[in-house]
Amino acid sequence: MKKVTAIYPGSFDPPTNGHLDLIERGSHIFDELVVAILRNPEKSPLFTVGERRRMLEELTAGFKNIRVDTFGGLTVDYAAKVKAGAVLRGIRALSDYEYELQMALMNRKLRPDLETVFMMPAEQYSYLSSRLVREVAKLGGGISGLVPELVERRLREKLDPGRKLKRNSGGT
Ligand code: PNS
């Protein structure tokens, strides 16, 4: 049987429990899954690419068929470089669909033999995004249960080593 490698491209700034949920689901259906962090010089991220890579490596260390890498340029070119046959993307709600469809079809135009596979994260993560996690954490709100503990610690260190993020969400 032909082995299928998939890439899971994204910003992962920071990785959330929604990303981890999708990575686990992807690891069950693909022979190999490469979590690919985009090196985007146009964005000013909270975490450096190296920091995000180290977090994701630690978080996925228990999976035998997952590795973490970084890439620049087009996703389709990176997919060709690692001989991936599929791109994994998560769809949380209808609002994601339009942008994801556009990207998937553009990627298909650029490389017709590369399939995009959409998966849904568990419903408790359907409202979760890295952007919201960054915003809530910056403003001192609780983010436990939304990101892995390792990420919560890194966020606390990054944002203000002196300030304690509230342990439980629901606070203001
Ligand atoms: O986590 P994100 O920010 O939603 O991920 C977006 C990402 C990295 C998948 C997308 O911006 C991307 O593929 N960028 C690489 C450049 C590229 O290939 N652009 C054309 C996509 S249609």
Side-chain angles (χ1 to χ4, degrees):
M1 272 262 287
K2 192 180 158 206
K3 293 205 164 171
V4 180
T5 295
I7 59 167
Y8 178 28
S11 307
F12 305 103
D13 186 34
T16 67
N17 282 344
H19 292 129
L20 266 293
D21 179 276
L22 215 75
I23 288 171
E24 183 168 359
R25 288 172 200 279
S27 79
H28 295 151
I29 64 166
F30 296 112
D31 297 296
E32 186 190 33
L33 183 64
V34 185
V35 181
I37 307 162
L38 177 67
R39 296 189 303 268
N40 188 349
E42 279 162 34
K43 272 194 182 175
S44 38
L46 181 61
F47 289 98
T48 66
V49 170
E51 287 169 332
R52 283 175 270 160
R53 182 182 195 151
R54 281 190 290 280
M55 284 191 274
L56 281 163
E57 276 172 351
E58 215 172 302
L59 294 166
T60 57
F63 297 92
K64 284 202 173 69
N65 62 342
I66 290 177
R67 63 188 175 87
V68 181
D69 197 5
T70 68
F71 76 105
L74 287 174
T75 291
V76 291
D77 290 341
Y78 176 73
K81 188 181 139 202
V82 298
K83 298 185 172 48
V87 178
L88 173 65
R89 290 287 291 172
I91 295 226
R92 293 161 299 188
L94 204 54
S95 48
D96 283 337
Y97 181 71
E98 206 170 311
Y99 170 62
E100 293 297 333
L101 180 73
Q102 249 186 331
M103 266 205 309
L105 293 178
M106 179 60 83
N107 284 338
R108 178 178 283 168
K109 168 94 180 105
L110 294 169
R111 196 184 145 197
D113 59 337
L114 182 68
E115 291 298 338
T116 296
V117 175
F118 294 125
M119 293 184 87
M120 291 162 293
E123 61 268 25
Q124 70 261 34
Y125 303 131
S126 58
Y127 65 97
L128 188 54
S129 72
S130 296
R131 185 183 63 77
L132 279 184
V133 165
R134 286 197 304 273
E135 185 172 317
V136 171
K138 273 181 189 165
L139 297 172
I143 49 161
S144 66
L146 305 182
V147 295
E149 273 182 32
L150 163 79
V151 175
E152 197 181 341
R153 278 200 305 277
R154 296 284 187 278
L155 270 166
R156 200 180 298 138
E157 290 158 10
K158 169 78 63 182
L159 293 172
D160 185 348
R163 186 176 70 190
K164 294 228 181 325
L165 286 175
K166 293 188 186 77
R167 283 289 302 163
N168 289 304
S169 49
T172 51

